[in-house]
Structure formats: C-alpha cells, structure tokens
Amino acid sequence: MTEPVPFQLQHLDHVVLRARDSRRLIQFYQNVLGCMVEREAAELGLTQLRAGASLIDIVAVDSQLGHQGGAAPATDSGHNLDHLCLRVEPFDPDAIHGHLERHGAAGSAVRHVYGAEGFGPSIYLDDPEGNTVELKGPADGRP
C-alpha cells in the first residue's frame, strides 16, 4: 500500500515556457489569449503572465535563468512542452476561431476530449515558439 500524501493538489499553479523570442511569445499570450503581465524580473529574463487562476512564465533562453535550462527548444527536434491547456469560458467555437484568425493563429477543429472537469470541447493552436495550446471549454456530460 502506498503512503498517504500529506496534501491535496488544488490546481495548476504555473507553467514555464522557454523562448527564443520572449517578446514575441509574450505578445502572443497577451494579444491572442488575453493574458496580462503580472510580474517581470528582467535581470533573470523572466516575465510572468496571469492566465486566470494560474501563471504562464516566459523565460528567455539567452537570459540568466534561461541558461540554466540548456539549449533552446528546437522545432525540428522536439519541444520543451507537449501542450498546455487553458480552460476558457464562454466556449463559442465561431467566436474563438474568428479571434484566432484575426491574430494570424490557426485553431484546430473542435475536438471532444477529456480534461479536469470531464469530457468537453477543445480547440488547439500553436504559439510562436511551436508550443501547443489547448483552449478547453466546460464539460458537456458526454462520454
């Protein structure tokens, strides 16, 4: 039998993305996904963006903090993250696709996938560094 864990996980606190072009990545998360800059530590090469109850941290690979992670992520040999999922509301596929298109981002067709709340709709897109972002709607009760 496994030992009981002395805590309960509550939610995703933050995700850290390493970026070759941090300015461009920050603009994407601000302009396309509506994140706001919450905190910057320029001396470290870190910008923290508010994404609802969570943070998305952007670290420049050529910064003090970025050097600790090794080489930059390369789109031809792998990524620094499979994908991150952001729960969005309202989930209006036409409005979401239109918004993404106006910002030059291509969203996938709506997929019915499982998430923290159960099965529900999702749209996938890639950020400027090649990381996949899932925009997740509410659970719809379908299996």
Side-chain angles (χ1 to χ4, degrees), residues 5 29 31 42 58 68-69 72 80 82 85 102 106 124 126 128-129 134 136 139 141:
V5 179
Y29 281 93
N31 298 335
I58 308 296
Q68 295 175 15
N80 60 344
D82 180 75
C85 178
R102 286 189 295 279
Y124 293 81
D126 289 337
E129 293 279 333
E134 176 184 354
K136 183 95 178 90

Side-chain angles (χ1 to χ4, degrees), residues 29-40:
Y29 281 93
Q30 286 182 300
N31 298 335
V32 178
L33 299 180
C35 296
M36 301 293 294
V37 172
E38 180 158 314
R39 181 175 167 268
E40 292 184 273

Side-chain angles (χ1 to χ4, degrees), residues 88-105:
V88 299
E89 202 150 321
F91 190 87
D92 178 339
D94 293 333
I96 292 170
H97 280 115
H99 174 75
L100 295 176
E101 289 172 15
R102 286 189 295 279
H103 287 277

Side-chain angles (χ1 to χ4, degrees), residues 1-124:
M1 175 167 252
T2 61
E3 181 179 325
V5 179
F7 54 82
Q8 292 181 335
L9 298 178
Q10 302 298 309
H11 58 82
L12 182 66
D13 185 85
H14 68 277
V15 172
V16 180
L17 300 176
R18 300 177 69 241
R20 293 178 303 267
D21 184 344
S22 59
R23 184 185 63 76
R24 183 173 177 219
L25 198 58
I26 291 164
Q27 288 177 343
F28 172 85
Y29 281 93
Q30 286 182 300
N31 298 335
V32 178
L33 299 180
C35 296
M36 301 293 294
V37 172
E38 180 158 314
R39 181 175 167 268
E40 292 184 273
E43 70 282 2
L44 296 175
L46 169 69
T47 301
Q48 294 179 295
L49 302 165
R50 175 60 57 187
S54 303
L55 292 175
I56 298 172
D57 295 356
I58 308 296
V59 174
V61 294
D62 61 354
S63 69
Q64 177 186 339
L65 194 57
H67 287 297
Q68 295 175 15
T75 57
D76 61 346
S77 65
H79 299 283
N80 60 344
L81 176 77
D82 180 75
H83 77 278
L84 66 98
C85 178
L86 301 171
R87 173 67 163 77
V88 299
E89 202 150 321
F91 190 87
D92 178 339
D94 293 333
I96 292 170
H97 280 115
H99 174 75
L100 295 176
E101 289 172 15
R102 286 189 295 279
H103 287 277
S108 73
V110 176
R111 299 180 194 167
H112 187 252
V113 298
Y114 191 78
E117 299 173 353
F119 282 99
S122 290
I123 294 173
Y124 293 81

Side-chain angles (χ1 to χ4, degrees), residues 125-140:
L125 67 145
D126 289 337
D127 73 19
E129 293 279 333
N131 298 300
T132 300
V133 179
E134 176 184 354
L135 302 178
K136 183 95 178 90
D140 57 17

